[in-house]
Amino acid sequence: MIEQLISAGIISSTGYALMGLSLGMMYRLNHELHLELGGMFLIGGYTFVWLPQATRVVWLLSLLLGLLAVITCSAVLEVLLMRPLRRKASSEVILIVNLGLLVCFQSLCALIFGPNPKSLPWSVESASIAGVFVTKPQVVTVIATVLLFAATIWTFYRTSFGASWRATANDPELATCMGIRTDNVQMFTLLGCSSVAYIAGILLTADTAIQPMAGFSIVLLGFIAMFVGGVYHPVGILLGALFIALIQNLGIYWISSLWKDAIAFVVLILFLLVRPQGIAGTQSHRTKV
Amino acid sequence: MDYLLHILTFSAIYMVLAVSLDLLAGQTGLLSIAQSAFYGIGAYSAALLSTLLHLPFLVDVLVGMLFASLASFAVSLPSLRLYDDYFVITTFGFQMILFSIFNNWMDLTRGPLGIPGIPQPVIFGWHVNSHVEFLVLSSLFAFFTYLVVYRLSSSPFGRVLHAIREDEMLARSLGKNTLRFKLTAFAISAALAASAGSLYAHYTTYIDPTSFTVMESILVISMVIIGGAGSKWGPLVGAVVLVTLPEVLRFIGMPSSVAANLRQVIYGSLLVIIMFFRPRGLVGKYGFGR
């Protein structure tokens, strides 16, 4: 029983980790909380459920089409909305704009697809690994998460783009003086983070279902993972996600599973009170007034 | 005519909510997405006290306000030490926790079944049972809330709140215990939101958790922001605009399922558009710290 709960925890943590990764990398760069990445998650989920049948296009191709849509959408948002806002607005304004965008995405999904959960009518194969039941999509999700995290760590910490990214994150003005095209760094980071959110949407929907409210919840849980883990490195985000998911799944062993969401928030609040820099963080000055 | 009265009554209830949030968001600069949770606490207190203990209207309003103020400390004490983004998300989290409580604690709130049969208010012998009388009652509440918040805002207490909004470090360096002021503002704002909740409960005579979701909180914050945070008329204008605008959809003949989601698309888009072009809102002066 406990092993099943632990495995459920590990599997849930993948969704939080991916969302936390996409939120965290953007946040690390420009201290903006890009809540509309929840919208990209929703696009991923609904593309998976709807696009292949609706357009009769080969499955993989339609997923790629969805990715193209997400990238285009993010690029348009960045150029039309984010860049002008960054020049003239405070971070609260940007937060509200991102919130408004998330509400738009979520309501459009509810409008087009209805408020009820949608999933693909396929039968999910499950297998037993070391006495624990897992499904095929879950295994794919775990592997994909590990690969995406590895790719992210490599990109942001081992390439020259990553160096530009870290420079821009530390001091945008100085980075511009050094000849780094900070606008391009912002753009590519947003595109990358949107893609990660999109892939997360596909993976999670493959296993269960997608519904409009999932936009809000996954963004919130991704944020909690990011915060609890300590936002400054992908490994921290992964640790945070694992921590939250494991506590949630072990917690419902004793408390009714209705309180699963509340458990995550209680953990967040405990961390806020006791260790605001997160599990892996070292600086606490940024979080406290 | 009844329909018009209904719209006006709802506008008044939302004016109470918007003005209460303005104390926090507009005057003190604390962008809280937990207002609907306090709204819910007021509504559920009123519902439970009047259906189970048969307490009169004014008593259950006051008790609801007390509960909400106490609950506000659970929200404010952890989150007030944090920077903007983290603060906002923490209030978001509290909203979700309280919604979880409303929806899952079946023994207390009957969960998704809701609480029916809430009696109509009786205030010192005045039986409020017609639409017109309810509009009068709601307007009284709105007026009272407006009075409280804007008297506070032009008082020394309010000046400290504005100072906190503009530059908290500076206020602290001048010796003001900003934490105490923020806690107080939070408690007052929560109490006022709860009074709106009690009013709502007695008006609709049936409440369930779906009226107190995070979308409701976002609606209230939209009213404050779109109307103009920190100004006297802003939240009032915002409340009226955001209550009446979706009703226009009804007249275009949209089916109600489409209308509900289209309404939310409109709220989201309005937030984005107003923040992009006019961050201080329609009639506001303070543009969220530009």
Side-chain angles (χ1 to χ4, degrees), chain A residues 78-92:
Chain A
E78 167 76 11
V79 169
L80 286 184
L81 213 53
M82 302 297 165
R83 273 189 203 164
L85 275 179
R86 234 169 249 145
R87 276 195 292 273
K88 62 175 179 171
S90 72
S91 67
E92 278 161 314

Side-chain angles (χ1 to χ4, degrees), chain B residues 260-282:
Chain B
N261 291 314
L262 198 56
R263 177 189 308 201
Q264 288 180 352
V265 175
I266 291 178
Y267 294 150
S269 325
L270 269 178
L271 264 182
V272 175
I273 292 171
I274 296 268
M275 279 289 111
F276 190 73
F277 290 110
R278 199 181 158 92
R280 56 191 143 101
L282 291 170

Side-chain angles (χ1 to χ4, degrees), chain B residues 160-180:
Chain B
V160 178
L161 292 185
H162 297 162
I164 294 175
R165 177 186 71 198
E166 302 294 335
D167 192 337
E168 179 161 358
M169 253 336 143
L170 188 59
R172 284 171 75 178
S173 71
L174 291 172
K176 300 295 174 187
N177 186 347
T178 57
L179 185 64
R180 197 166 60 86

Side-chain angles (χ1 to χ4, degrees), chain A residues 124-135:
Chain A
V124 177
E125 309 150 31
S126 70
S128 178
I129 299 180
V132 164
F133 280 102
V134 291
T135 66

